[in-house]
Amino acid sequence: MELKTPANFWTKFSIMLVLSVLVGVFFIAILLMSSLNLKFSQAAMSELRQQQIADTFYANLNRINAHHQLMEQNTANLAHVGEILRRGSGQGNATEELAHGLRSALANMPEAYGAEIWYGNADNLQQQRSAYGYRSNAEIHIQPVENLYHVQDWYRRILPEARSENRRPATPHFYWTPAYYKELIDNVVISLTTVMRDSQGAVIGLASTDWRADEIIRLVSRVEVTPGAFAFLLDSENRNLSSLAISSDAPDAQQKIDAIINSQLHSKLTGPLPQSAIISGRLLVAPMQTMPLNINEEDHALFFSRTQAGMIFGVGVPQAEIDAVLLPMRKSNLKIVWLVSALTLGLSGIILLFVANLLNRVHILHTDTLTQLPNREKLLVDLGKANSGTLVLINIDSFKEINDFYGHQCGDHVIGQLASALQTFLDSLPAGSAGRLYRMPADELAIWLPESKNPQGLEQLISALQDVLGALAVSWIEHRIPLNMTLGVATSLQPDGSQQADGQLLTSANIALKSARRNKLSCQVYDPGQKTRESYEHNLVWANRLKKALDEGRIVPYFQPIMDLKTGRIDKFECLARMIDEDGQAISPLEFLAVAKKIRLYRYITRTMVQQCFNRFADNDYEFSLNLSCEDLLDPELMTFIVNSLEQSSIAPRVIFEILESEGIENYSAVRQFIDRVKELGCRIAIDDFGTGYSNFEHLLRLNVDIIKIDGTLVKHLDTDSVAYSVARGIQQFAAGLGMQTVAEYVHSPAILDKVQSLNIDFAQGYHVGKPLATLVTDSDNSLVSAQVLRFNSRR
C-alpha cells in the first residue's frame, strides 16, 4: 500500500524552499530595503529640518524688520518735531528752540545715537539752519551743524528727489545710507532720513537719525539656528554687518565675510514683490531665497531675503549640521544591516513576518481580516474613482440565528464559503476580471462591475447570481446550513434612462436591499421612481421640523366636539395633536406622527398633549379624551408621569384615554396595569377604531373598557352600505349588552347622523358635528353645532 504524503509536508517544504531562496537574495534585498528606507527617511527629515530653519529665519527676519520699523517711526517722529518747531519759529530764539526740541526728541529715542534737523536750501548755505544731537557718556550733546553729513553727496541727493513730489505722500518715504564711519561719535553708523514739510506739503528740510552699526551687529548676533550657523546683514553697498564681527576666530570669520560679499546677493534676489506679501503667516517685503555656498571647503546652506530697509538679511548654516539629525538614523540602519547579515537564517522568518505585518498595516484600512477581501472603505474609494457600473449587495437572511445557534466560527465559515462562491461566479463573467468582490460589515458582501447594465442585462446577471446562491451548499460539523440571500442592486443606468453618480450607488443599493427585506422579496433593483430617497429626505426634513416645533412649544391640542345623541348637547371633546408651522398654519398629525415614532419623539408629543390638555380643562366641566398608543402604554416613565399628573389634580373623572386599536397590543399585562391604576382614579377607557383588525373582541374581553369608538370606515358608509350598517348595529348591540357606551366617528353629513341616531349609538363625532379647532366650541357658541341641536330636538 502506497503511503500518501501528508499535505502539510508540502506546505513546510514550500516554506523551507522560500527561506532557502531568501538566504541567497537576502543581502541584496536587505541592502535595497535599507537604502530605500534610509533615502525616504532622510528626505523627510531633511525637509522637516529645512522647514525648522525657515521658521527660525522668518522669525528673526520679522524681528529685524520690527527694528527697522522702530527706526523709521523714530525718524518720522523727529521729522514731526522739526515741522512743529518750524511752524512755531519767530516766537522765541529759533536756535534754542531747535536745540531743545532736538534734545527732547533724542531723549525719546534711546536706540538712536545721533539725530539732526536741517532746514533750508541745499544750494544756498545762507538759507540753511540746522542742529545735530548725539550721545556721549550717557549725555546728549547739541551743536550747530558745521560740515556734517547733510553736506555729503548722498544726503544732498535726497532733497531734489523729495521735492519732485508735488503733494504730501500717504506714508513718509525713508532713505537709508550704507554703513559709514562718523568721527563725531567715533563709530560706524547707518543713517535714516526723511523730509519735513510745511502745511501746504512743500519740503522745508530733512530729519535724520544715526544708528550705530555695532548695535545692529548685536541685533543680528542674537540669531541662533545651529551651533555653527552665522547671521549677517548687507547694506546697500554690499557691506557686511555680521555676527562674525564678534567671532573669536578672526581668520575664519573673515573668510566667511569675504565669501558672502563675493556672492553678490543683491544681484541674486528676485526683487521685491509688487506689494507686501504674506508668507507663512508673516508680512514680508520679499520671500526667502536659498543657495549653496562653499566656504573654506565646507558646504553651507545660505538663507537670505530683503529687509524692509532694503538690506539683505541672511543666515549661513553648515550643511553638516543640517544633516546631523540624520546620523542616528544612518547608524541605526547600518546596525540593522550588520545584525541581519550575521543572523541571516534565523532572521529570514522574522523578515517574512515583518513584511507580512507591514503589508497588513498598509492594507488593513481597506482589507477584511476574515476573507482578505477589500472592505467597505475600499469600495467607497473605488466608487469615487469609477465612471459607471453596477453594484450588487448580497445579504444573508437570519445570519444572527446562525451565529447564535451554531456559533461565530460557523458564521465565519459561512461568510468564507459565500465569498469563495461569489469570487468564482465573478471570475466566470465576461467582465469579471475588471469587477471586484468586497466584504461589507456583518453579513453582507458586494459585487461591483465596471459596466452599467440595461434592464435585460441586469435581469440576466441577477438570475445567474441567484442560481449560484441557490446551489450553494454549506455544511458545518456534518450539518447542512440552510441559507437564503436577499439582493439589493443599483446601477448607474437608471430604469428611467437617467444616469446615477457612482458615489450614490452604495446608498441606492442599501435602499434597494432594505426595501427587498421589508417587502420579503429575494431581490430589489433600485428605482428612483419609487421615491425612496426622497422619502428619506422627507423624513429628515420633518424630523428637524418636529424637533424645532417641540422645542418652541408649537405642538398644541385641537379639540373636536362630541355630541351626546340623547341630549343633543356637546359635553366632551377629543384632543388631537397639531403642529403649528412657521407661518402659523396647523399641520395634521398624519404628516409628522410616523416620523416622530421613527426618531423616538412620540413620547414627548404625548407628554406635551397631556400637560396642555390637563391645563386647558382644569377650569371647566367638560369631559375630554386623549389618544394613547401601545408605544405610550409600554413606556413606564410616560405612564408614571400621567398617573402623577392625575393624582395632583381633580380632573381624573373627566378624562377618557383612547387606546389606538390600529397599534395592536402585545403586552396585555403592562397595559392592564395602567388601565386599572387610572380607573381607580376615576378615568375611563375607550377602544379607538373598533371594527378594524382581528383582535377587537380580545381587547374587550381582556381590558376593562368603558367606551367603544366605531371606526370611521364603517360609519361613513352607513347611508349607502347595508353591510356596514349591519356591522355597526352589531357593535352597538354588543356594547350595550356589556354596558359599554358607543361613539360613531366620521359623522360628516346629515344622512350619516340620521343613521347613527337610528342605531341608538350614544355619541356622534365628525365634521358634521364640529371640526377640530384650537378653541372649545360648544352648542352655545357654534352655529353648526347649534343647528344640529335644534334639528335633533325637533326630531325628538
Side-chain angles (χ1 to χ4, degrees):
M1 181 177 179
E2 183 179 358
L3 293 176
K4 196 171 183 179
T5 305
N8 60 356
F9 170 81
W10 296 109
T11 302
K12 294 179 180 179
F13 178 80
S14 300
I15 294 175
M16 293 303 297
L17 180 61
V18 170
L19 288 175
S20 299
V21 173
L22 283 176
V23 171
V25 301
F26 184 78
F27 291 102
I28 298 175
I30 196 62
L31 288 174
L32 180 60
M33 290 176 61
S34 176
S35 175
L36 291 176
N37 182 62
L38 182 61
K39 183 177 181 181
F40 173 79
S41 301
Q42 288 185 152
M45 292 298 294
S46 295
E47 183 179 353
L48 177 61
R49 186 59 172 161
Q50 291 278 354
Q51 184 60 46
Q52 291 174 341
I53 293 174
D55 289 342
T56 304
F57 175 87
Y58 280 128
N60 284 282
L61 179 59
N62 284 344
R63 183 164 57 85
I64 290 173
N65 278 333
H67 185 267
H68 289 348
Q69 288 176 351
L70 175 63
M71 295 164 69
E72 291 179 350
Q73 183 61 48
N74 286 338
T75 307
N77 292 340
L78 179 64
H80 183 62
V81 170
E83 292 171 351
I84 293 175
L85 290 174
R86 180 59 178 267
R87 286 196 294 271
S89 64
Q91 300 178 1
N93 188 317
T95 301
E96 291 181 0
E97 290 178 353
L98 179 58
H100 177 72
L102 186 60
R103 184 186 302 277
S104 298
L106 192 57
N108 292 326
M109 297 185 294
E111 303 87 357
Y113 281 83
E116 178 188 6
I117 296 177
W118 175 81
Y119 304 104
N121 191 314
D123 299 323
N124 189 341
L125 297 177
Q126 300 299 325
Q127 298 180 6
Q128 296 179 1
R129 179 166 59 89
S130 58
Y132 178 73
Y134 63 95
R135 300 180 190 276
S136 178
N137 297 324
E139 295 183 357
I140 298 176
H141 301 276
I142 306 296
Q143 69 173 44
V145 177
E146 295 178 359
N147 249 353
L148 292 178
Y149 56 47
H150 74 278
V151 299
Q152 298 183 23
D153 290 341
W154 64 265
Y155 194 90
R156 295 169 63 86
R157 286 197 300 269
I158 295 174
L159 194 59
E161 181 179 346
R163 285 177 172 165
S164 65
E165 299 177 357
N166 296 327
R167 302 186 338 184
R168 182 187 297 270
T171 56
H173 292 168
F174 298 95
Y175 305 90
W176 294 77
T177 72
Y180 66 95
Y181 178 74
K182 191 162 206 174
E183 294 181 0
L184 189 61
I185 61 175
D186 190 25
N187 211 315
V188 176
V189 298
I190 293 176
S191 297
L192 178 59
T193 303
T194 189
V195 300
M196 298 183 296
R197 299 176 184 271
D198 59 17
S199 58
Q200 284 74 36
V203 176
I204 60 174
L206 303 172
S208 302
T209 56
D210 292 336
W211 306 80
R212 285 177 50 173
D214 55 358
E215 185 64 27
I216 297 177
I217 290 174
R218 280 192 291 272
L219 177 68
V220 175
S221 300
R222 285 156 54 189
V223 176
E224 294 182 2
V225 180
T226 64
F230 59 90
F232 60 88
L233 195 65
L234 298 178
D235 65 13
S236 58
E237 297 294 334
N238 204 32
R239 298 189 183 96
N240 192 324
L241 305 174
S242 172
S243 60
L244 297 170
I246 58 176
S247 173
S248 58
D249 189 350
D252 179 70
Q254 189 60 48
Q255 285 181 339
K256 293 177 179 177
I257 291 174
D258 292 342
I260 294 170
I261 293 175
N262 294 334
S263 297
Q264 297 295 321
L265 298 182
H266 281 282
S267 64
K268 291 181 171 59
L269 281 172
T270 56
L273 299 177
Q275 296 178 346
S276 295
I278 295 179
I279 300 177
S280 299
R282 307 172 178 88
L283 185 65
L284 303 175
V285 177
M288 182 188 76
Q289 296 178 228
T290 61
M291 65 171 285
L293 183 66
N294 186 279
I295 304 175
N296 197 20
E297 297 184 354
E298 182 181 7
D299 291 332
H300 287 71
L302 215 58
F303 304 84
F304 59 96
S305 179
R306 194 187 309 277
T307 71
Q308 183 170 315
M311 301 180 183
I312 293 180
F313 168 69
V315 176
V317 184
Q319 190 65 44
E321 294 184 359
I322 296 177
D323 296 339
V325 294
L326 303 178
L327 292 178
M329 187 183 302
R330 291 170 179 167
K331 291 179 180 179
S332 176
N333 187 71
L334 291 175
K335 184 177 181 180
I336 292 173
V337 173
W338 181 84
L339 289 174
V340 172
S341 299
L343 303 172
T344 301
L345 184 60
L347 293 180
S348 295
I350 297 177
I351 292 173
L352 287 176
L353 182 60
F354 172 78
V355 172
N357 189 36
L358 180 62
L359 292 176
N360 181 60
R361 290 182 181 180
V362 172
H363 295 288
I364 193 168
L365 181 63
H366 293 151
T367 304
D368 173 60
T369 55
L370 174 63
T371 61
Q372 299 304 308
L373 291 173
N375 59 13
R376 181 180 182 274
E377 286 71 22
K378 180 60 175 173
L379 173 60
L380 291 174
V381 172
D382 292 345
L383 288 178
K385 299 176 181 178
N387 295 322
S388 63
T390 299
L391 182 66
V392 182
L393 289 182
I394 301 98
N395 180 269
I396 304 175
D397 298 339
S398 303
F399 186 73
K400 184 178 184 300
E401 285 77 358
I402 295 175
N403 268 334
D404 292 344
F405 186 78
Y406 293 102
H408 288 278
Q409 288 185 338
C410 176
D412 292 345
H413 174 71
V414 170
I415 292 292
Q417 292 295 303
L418 176 59
S420 177
L422 290 176
Q423 186 63 60
T424 302
F425 168 75
L426 185 61
D427 294 339
S428 67
L429 296 177
S433 59
R436 200 164 189 182
L437 179 65
Y438 298 84
R439 167 73 192 281
M440 305 298 284
D443 55 347
E444 288 184 11
L445 287 95
I447 292 177
W448 180 79
L449 295 171
E451 57 180 10
S452 185
K453 294 184 175 294
N454 56 34
Q456 182 179 0
L458 196 58
E459 183 177 352
Q460 293 175 353
L461 173 66
I462 294 172
S463 178
L465 179 55
Q466 288 179 326
D467 290 343
V468 171
L469 295 176
L472 179 62
V474 178
S475 298
W476 178 254
I477 314 178
E478 299 181 357
H479 288 277
R480 177 74 177 267
I481 307 297
L483 293 179
N484 292 299
M485 313 289 177
T486 302
L487 308 183
V489 185
T491 181
S492 300
L493 179 63
Q494 299 297 289
D496 59 2
S498 62
Q499 285 287 329
Q500 178 179 209
D502 285 342
Q504 297 179 338
L505 280 182
L506 181 55
T507 302
S508 299
N510 269 320
I511 291 173
L513 181 62
K514 290 179 181 179
S515 177
R517 293 175 67 88
R518 183 172 57 253
N519 297 320
K520 302 187 184 305
L521 301 175
S522 61
C523 179
Q524 179 78 46
V525 179
Y526 176 76
D527 184 357
Q530 296 177 348
K531 305 297 183 182
T532 305
R533 193 185 300 273
E534 289 79 359
S535 175
Y536 288 174
E537 181 180 3
H538 172 271
N539 289 343
L540 290 174
V541 170
W542 273 100
N544 291 329
R545 293 186 65 184
L546 183 57
K547 288 179 181 178
K548 188 175 180 182
L550 280 169
D551 292 340
E552 297 176 356
R554 291 190 284 105
I555 301 297
V556 299
Y558 268 42
F559 311 100
Q560 186 169 30
I562 301 175
M563 178 188 289
D564 187 336
L565 294 179
K566 293 181 175 60
T567 64
R569 311 299 297 178
I570 301 298
D571 58 4
K572 60 172 61 69
F573 294 86
E574 180 177 1
C575 303
L576 302 170
R578 295 289 187 270
M579 184 176 84
I580 307 302
D581 67 11
E582 293 78 0
D583 299 325
Q585 300 298 316
I587 299 176
S588 168
L590 295 176
E591 297 286 344
F592 60 84
L593 282 186
V595 175
K597 293 178 181 179
K598 289 182 180 179
I599 61 175
R600 300 182 181 179
L601 290 179
Y602 190 82
R603 62 183 298 186
Y604 298 105
I605 295 177
T606 303
R607 187 185 184 100
T608 189
M609 285 289 293
V610 170
Q611 287 176 320
Q612 294 184 64
C613 293
F614 280 17
N615 292 334
R616 183 66 180 83
F617 287 92
D619 299 328
N620 57 55
D621 297 327
Y622 294 111
E623 297 178 357
F624 63 97
S625 62
L626 287 164
N627 293 312
L628 293 180
S629 68
C630 185
E631 182 180 79
D632 292 330
L633 295 170
L634 297 178
D635 187 335
E637 183 179 343
L638 179 59
M639 294 301 98
T640 300
F641 167 76
I642 293 176
V643 171
N644 290 340
S645 300
L646 289 169
E647 290 176 341
Q648 294 170 9
S649 68
S650 59
I651 204 171
R654 293 187 285 117
V655 177
I656 302 170
F657 289 112
E658 295 187 17
I659 299 175
L660 300 178
E661 157 62 16
S662 59
E663 295 293 329
I665 299 175
E666 297 179 358
N667 190 344
Y668 275 95
S669 175
V671 174
R672 183 58 187 264
Q673 183 179 1
F674 169 76
I675 290 175
D676 292 343
R677 184 71 185 93
V678 297
K679 292 197 73 170
E680 288 176 2
L681 298 174
C683 299
R684 285 174 291 169
I685 303 298
I687 290 291
D688 195 21
D689 297 331
F690 192 83
T692 62
Y694 301 96
S695 57
N696 295 289
F697 294 100
E698 182 181 6
H699 291 342
L700 296 177
L701 294 174
R702 300 183 67 173
L703 304 176
N704 191 5
V705 176
D706 301 293
I707 300 171
I708 294 177
K709 300 193 73 173
I710 303 174
D711 185 62
T713 57
L714 293 174
V715 176
K716 68 181 180 180
H717 296 300
L718 289 178
D719 58 339
T720 59
D721 189 340
S722 59
V723 175
Y725 187 86
S726 298
V727 173
R729 180 175 57 193
I731 294 174
Q732 190 278 332
Q733 293 173 350
F734 175 78
L738 294 177
M740 302 177 185
Q741 293 180 318
T742 52
V743 179
E745 298 182 296
Y746 213 94
V747 178
H748 63 280
S749 68
I752 296 296
L753 182 60
D754 290 341
K755 292 293 184 181
V756 170
Q757 290 172 336
S758 69
L759 289 171
N760 292 323
I761 294 174
D762 299 298
F763 301 96
Q765 176 182 353
Y767 274 27
H768 188 61
V769 176
K771 296 181 180 181
L773 296 172
T775 58
L776 297 178
V777 179
T778 66
D779 54 314
S780 62
D781 52 10
N782 180 274
S783 58
L784 176 61
V785 173
S786 299
Q788 300 308 319
V789 171
L790 291 173
R791 182 172 180 270
F792 177 83
N793 291 333
S794 65
R795 292 193 58 185
R796 294 180 65 188

